[in-house]
Structure formats: C-alpha cells, structure tokens
Amino acid sequence: MNELELLAPIRSAFYTTIWTIVREIPAGQVASYGLIAGMIPVPPCISSGNYKAYRARWVGNAMSACPPDVPWQRVINAQGKISLRQGADRQRKLLETEGIVFDLRQRVDLKRYGWPGPSAEWLAANGLVDQTNQPSLF
DNA sequence: GTAATGACCAATA
DNA sequence: CTATTGGCCATTA
C-alpha cells in the first residue's frame, strides 16, 4: 500500500468534516473557505506549512462535490466575494433570498454577515479545535 | 510518465 | 483600491 492510497480516506474524512461545519452556518450568514479550514486540525501525512497554504483550496474542492443538504452558497472567499465560476449568479440569488445584501462591487460585508463560527461546545463535541487565532477578518 | 488547472489566501508592489 | 506572486496539493486529460 503506497502513500497515496493511504491518503484517500483521510481526504474523505476531511471533506466530511468540512460539510459538517458548513451545515452549521445559519441562513443569512456567510463564512470564508479559509475560516472553515482553520477549524480543522492538520491532517496526518502533511506538514502544517503545506496545510496552511492549501487548506482553503481543499475546502473549495469539497464544495464542488458536496451533498445536496449542504448550504454551499454560504461559503464565499475571504474578500467577501463569490468566487467566479459556473453558477455564481445562482449563488448570489440564493444569498439574497436569505437577506444578504451585496454592495456595488458585488461584495458582502463580512463584518455584518460573517459567521463567527460554531460554539466551543460544538467544536469539542466534534473533535475540532477552537478558532482562537482568527485570521484578520475583523 | 508529464502538464494543466482549480468554488483560496496572505503578503507585496 | 488593484495586480501579482508564492504556496507546491489533488484531480484530470
């Protein structure tokens, strides 16, 4: 068994954890890819440096394959914008339905709509780390 | 086997 | 404010 085969189940669990967190985002609020990723500990077989560099992209990859019950539309990039791709306007419509207002540059005010993250109890119950060292989002 | 691409982010210029 | 760049992962062609 080589290393790549060993890595697949780990990545699968990583995706599942991402979806679990995204399901906790309430309607009318948004979270960035990096914020979600920052709640998940460094997986085995990867250095913390590399993890930090790529975890946000992995969250994006997980969103491209998420189950139907995941509110994927509430995950946007760290600049408060919807990442450009097929279906971006549909994502914006869904968020506007939830009451989120975009500014003239198609941006969301993260100070107003940003999700602070799950409670410490929820994190602990799911074996995740407390996000004490928030990125400079506010 | 190689090469291109991706729903990202932080630090610079 | 915008534009560029390094990060060096995983998937797909």
Side-chain angles (χ1 to χ4, degrees), chain A residues 11-92:
Chain A
R11 197 181 62 253
S12 183
F14 187 76
Y15 279 20
T16 303
T17 305
I18 290 169
W19 297 329
T20 303
I21 295 174
V22 172
R23 286 192 190 97
E24 293 299 307
I25 306 176
Q29 294 194 327
V30 294
S32 74
Y33 299 97
L35 187 74
I36 306 274
M39 299 173 191
I40 305 175
V42 182
C45 305
I46 183 169
S47 75
S48 69
N50 293 344
Y51 177 59
K52 199 169 137 195
Y54 276 90
R55 61 191 186 180
R57 298 182 76 147
W58 293 349
V59 173
N61 292 149
M63 288 300 101
S64 72
C66 72
D69 64 320
V70 173
W72 54 271
Q73 72 271 20
R74 294 174 197 147
V75 185
I76 61 178
N77 65 33
Q79 305 167 2
K81 292 196 254 187
I82 292 175
S83 297
L84 196 59
R85 70 185 187 281
Q86 259 187 347
D89 44 349
R90 172 169 156 73
Q91 179 172 11
R92 174 178 169 144

Side-chain angles (χ1 to χ4, degrees), chain A residues 35 38-39 116 118 120 123 128-136 138:
Chain A
L35 187 74
M39 299 173 191
L123 283 171
L128 301 175
V129 295
D130 196 352
Q131 181 76 357
T132 45
N133 48 351
Q134 290 265 3
S136 52
F138 49 84

Side-chain angles (χ1 to χ4, degrees), chain A residues 92-110:
Chain A
R92 174 178 169 144
K93 275 196 166 186
L94 284 170
L95 291 178
E96 285 174 334
T97 301
E98 297 182 358
I100 290 176
V101 177
F102 288 74
D103 70 8
L104 294 177
R105 256 195 298 262
Q106 314 219 322
R107 233 174 48 168
V108 172
D109 185 359
L110 287 178

